[in-house]
Amino acid sequence: MQYIRTVTAKKALFSFDFKRYRGYICPAMTYLTVPIAAGDVRQAKKQIDAAVKARAEMLELRLDYIDKLTHEKAVKLIEYVKKTSLPVIATCRDKLEGGCGNYPVELRTNVLTTALDAGADFIDFEYQNFLSKSLSSRIEKALNRNPKSRLILSSHHFSGPFDNIKRDYNFIRTLYPKAIPKLVYLAEHINDCFDAFDLLCETTGDRIVLCMGRAGLISRIIAKKLGSFVTFASLDSETSTASGQLAIEQFNDLYRYNSIDTDMKLFGIIGSPVEHSASPAIHNAGFAKADLNKLYLPLLVDGQKEQFNKFMDNVTSRNWLNFKGFSVTIPHKINAINYVLEKGGKVDRLTKKIGAANTITIDDDGHLTAYNSDCSGAMKAITDKIENLNDKKTAVMGAGGVARAVVAGLTDTDAIVTIYNRTLLKAEKLADEFKCKAAGLDKIPQIDADIIINCTSIGMSPKIDKSPITKELIKKNMVVFDTVYNPRQTLLLKNAKSAGAMTIEGLDMFIAQAETQFDLFTGQKADTSLMRKTAEANL
Ligand code: NAP
């Protein structure tokens, strides 16, 4: 109930035009805050100008980064930020909690009280240091002199999650009730993020709860949905002050920071790695174009079945997070279908036959459905170019997840399929299941095919000078389809083109499978030309 009340209050505030309120501290909003982390005042001013231009909503002056820090330098910078009308947090972080310089606590405390007198809206001080009476009384006096300014009492855990984050949160709240508690920890796995989400869900008022590290990325993006007082964005990778910090440009352009609200439905791509996936770009562009209150996230789920199942359990047991669908990639496609089957969800005949799913949806009653849009995507890419597959001799190279989807689709037609794979046993097993032929890669020189389909990762970036077959084997009357889409023009496709063969790009399959997912996620038709343009720009 508490959560719902905050949500409603926040919704009302979100509808305000923030710009009208520049220079004022709006309670109950999530400030997109850029840390200014420079070695000298001149560089810091440059970063401040860049952050304003990049649409920061608040700045954090990381005074611990300033070389030979003095009170005068701190005042100069506060005064410079005040001219921008953006609210400012002054921080002079303890080395033990991730600070840059190794300034003594006395100097750091004095610099922060000076910053308050110079007009800092907030100062961030480690709560461990605030336990010292002599330090806390100095800070309290400065806060009393500047009653509009506020104290952020922080704690940073670099070794993993807090033992008991709720206890630490309550401790800070009791220690200085007017403070904004800030609890930040390293998420070693995405499953570590749920402590942070629960704390935000169960508490009200201003508080900052975030996870660091690659696995903590989503906590920074959905901080606004969950009502953290700030989320931090870097200007670029060089000025990032914590691992996993996202650039402000990505917050604004890729994740539509301005549109994020508490009701937003969440989607994402589950996999490992996911950083280079084009899916967040294309789905978010589609959601934006259709003006849908939906957000698509990269969900780095390291590990195997156990970690995947735990992630799904975490998500499905918290319907307030509003996750409604997932794309699934390596290594979790088999885990995805098994999870849905174990939970009594729906799986269609072809997906069952393939034995792997690349899409999961969650309906409003929490029911799960698994699909395989790789199969339909691949078949659309093929049949857009080849009308009739009857009796077409088709060589599929690879016996992994994509090969399964392609072979399942092809054997549903009257194509004559042979699977070539490095590990012959895998090819034979797949061929046995789908009633076709198998061979090792050593048989490729004797290849006799109308259609060649590469379903291995050979030729994928960064090893772009590799091809699964030599140029000489490609004939003019062949159709060559490379499922690899990064790069778009693989060496295999280049060779096929120069041999005069017809080619099908992996991007065609990628767009076709994403089109199906968009339909499943939204019930609407995707704008495929926008998807293609966005994917091309991403590649
Ligand atoms: P997977 O399950 O890991 O299978 C990889 C396949 O590639 C296996 O058959 C493996 O052979 C073979 N392979 C890997 N390295 C090889 C090498 N150096 N020499 C010979 N064979 C090698 O991966 P997947 O999910 O099927 O994905 C395969 C590729 O499809 C990806 O790299 C990606 O580029 C592409 N893909 C495209 C789309 C799209 O929409 N266009 C979607 C998903 C994936 P072994 O069995 O011997 O290990």
Side-chain angles (χ1 to χ4, degrees), residues 26-72:
C26 297
M29 73 171 282
T30 302
Y31 290 87
L32 183 55
T33 302
V34 171
I36 304 300
D40 60 52
V41 170
R42 198 177 58 86
Q43 280 301 324
K45 285 183 176 176
K46 268 191 172 175
Q47 287 185 17
I48 292 166
D49 294 343
V52 172
K53 208 167 152 206
R55 291 179 283 151
E57 295 175 345
M58 188 185 282
L59 300 176
E60 181 192 32
L61 274 181
R62 285 293 301 264
L63 297 167
D64 50 303
Y65 276 71
I66 300 282
D67 196 28
K68 299 194 182 87
L69 178 64
T70 60
H71 290 235
E72 291 70 31

Side-chain angles (χ1 to χ4, degrees), residues 397-463:
M397 284 174 284
V402 166
R404 282 192 77 80
V406 168
V407 169
L410 286 170
T411 51
D412 239 20
T413 70
D414 287 324
I416 303 160
V417 180
T418 306
I419 303 162
Y420 296 83
N421 195 45
R422 177 175 62 180
T423 312
L424 179 60
L425 200 66
K426 268 171 76 180
E428 285 172 343
K429 222 172 139 236
L430 188 59
D432 199 38
E433 259 182 77
F434 289 93
K435 311 281 171 272
C436 51
K437 289 189 227 151
L441 291 186
D442 57 316
K443 294 287 185 297
I444 283 188
Q446 291 101 56
I447 209 161
D448 169 28
D450 304 305
I451 306 167
I452 291 178
I453 306 178
N454 176 33
C455 296
T456 73
S457 46
I458 301 172
M460 192 168 87
S461 177
K463 294 183 180 164

Side-chain angles (χ1 to χ4, degrees), residues 177-244:
K178 281 188 278 183
I180 300 172
K182 177 186 176 195
L183 294 137
V184 179
Y185 62 91
L186 177 75
E188 292 169 306
H189 192 277
I190 197 166
N191 285 321
D192 293 339
C193 293
F194 292 89
D195 283 352
F197 300 159
D198 289 345
L199 182 61
L200 284 168
C201 174
E202 290 162 19
T203 55
T204 56
D206 296 331
R207 67 268 188 250
I208 302 165
V209 190
L210 297 167
C211 298
M212 293 180 286
R214 288 162 71 224
L217 178 76
I218 61 160
S219 75
R220 297 179 183 277
I221 305 171
I222 65 169
K224 185 171 176 184
K225 175 179 166 68
L226 300 180
S228 175
F229 185 63
V230 304
T231 187
F232 295 95
S234 62
L235 266 182
D236 49 49
S237 56
E238 271 170 34
T239 54
S240 156
T241 54
S243 67

Side-chain angles (χ1 to χ4, degrees), residues 52-99:
V52 172
K53 208 167 152 206
R55 291 179 283 151
E57 295 175 345
M58 188 185 282
L59 300 176
E60 181 192 32
L61 274 181
R62 285 293 301 264
L63 297 167
D64 50 303
Y65 276 71
I66 300 282
D67 196 28
K68 299 194 182 87
L69 178 64
T70 60
H71 290 235
E72 291 70 31
K73 287 182 184 176
V75 170
K76 247 189 210 165
L77 285 173
I78 297 284
E79 285 172 351
Y80 193 77
V81 178
K82 294 306 286 180
K83 284 189 211 150
T84 69
S85 309
L86 289 184
V88 57
I89 306 171
T91 300
C92 196
R93 178 74 64 235
D94 191 336
K95 183 99 181 153
L96 291 175
E97 297 213 18

Side-chain angles (χ1 to χ4, degrees), residues 329-330 333 374 397-403 421-423 426 441 454-458 460 482-486 506-507 509-511 513:
T329 185
I330 295 173
K333 289 183 185 179
D374 280 337
M397 284 174 284
V402 166
N421 195 45
R422 177 175 62 180
T423 312
K426 268 171 76 180
L441 291 186
N454 176 33
C455 296
T456 73
S457 46
I458 301 172
M460 192 168 87
D482 198 340
T483 65
V484 171
Y485 62 90
N486 186 14
L507 190 63
M509 168 182 166
F510 180 71
I511 298 299
Q513 64 80 30

Side-chain angles (χ1 to χ4, degrees), residues 82-253:
K82 294 306 286 180
K83 284 189 211 150
T84 69
S85 309
L86 289 184
V88 57
I89 306 171
T91 300
C92 196
R93 178 74 64 235
D94 191 336
K95 183 99 181 153
L96 291 175
E97 297 213 18
C100 179
N102 201 1
Y103 293 117
V105 71
E106 285 293 327
L107 172 72
R108 290 190 297 102
T109 310
N110 291 339
V111 162
L112 290 182
T113 57
T114 303
L116 280 174
D117 292 333
D121 302 281
F122 304 91
I123 56 164
D124 177 332
F125 197 59
E126 304 78 29
Y127 92 80
Q128 287 288 354
N129 291 324
F130 197 75
L131 295 174
S132 152
K133 264 270 157 263
S134 75
L135 301 179
S136 62
S137 66
R138 257 182 277 167
I139 287 177
E140 279 187 67
K141 267 187 205 150
L143 285 165
N144 290 338
R145 284 196 301 277
N146 300 283
K148 285 192 180 150
S149 303
R150 293 183 68 189
L151 172 65
I152 296 169
L153 277 181
S154 60
S155 183
H156 304 79
H157 242 232
F158 291 91
S159 55
F162 289 87
D163 289 340
N164 186 340
I165 195 170
K166 287 176 194 166
R167 185 192 58 206
D168 288 42
Y169 170 85
N170 287 329
F171 184 81
I172 296 174
R173 274 261 181 261
T174 317
L175 182 67
Y176 195 72
K178 281 188 278 183
I180 300 172
K182 177 186 176 195
L183 294 137
V184 179
Y185 62 91
L186 177 75
E188 292 169 306
H189 192 277
I190 197 166
N191 285 321
D192 293 339
C193 293
F194 292 89
D195 283 352
F197 300 159
D198 289 345
L199 182 61
L200 284 168
C201 174
E202 290 162 19
T203 55
T204 56
D206 296 331
R207 67 268 188 250
I208 302 165
V209 190
L210 297 167
C211 298
M212 293 180 286
R214 288 162 71 224
L217 178 76
I218 61 160
S219 75
R220 297 179 183 277
I221 305 171
I222 65 169
K224 185 171 176 184
K225 175 179 166 68
L226 300 180
S228 175
F229 185 63
V230 304
T231 187
F232 295 95
S234 62
L235 266 182
D236 49 49
S237 56
E238 271 170 34
T239 54
S240 156
T241 54
S243 67
Q245 232 172 49
L246 201 66
I248 186 163
E249 192 186 338
Q250 284 180 301
F251 264 108
N252 282 323
D253 300 343

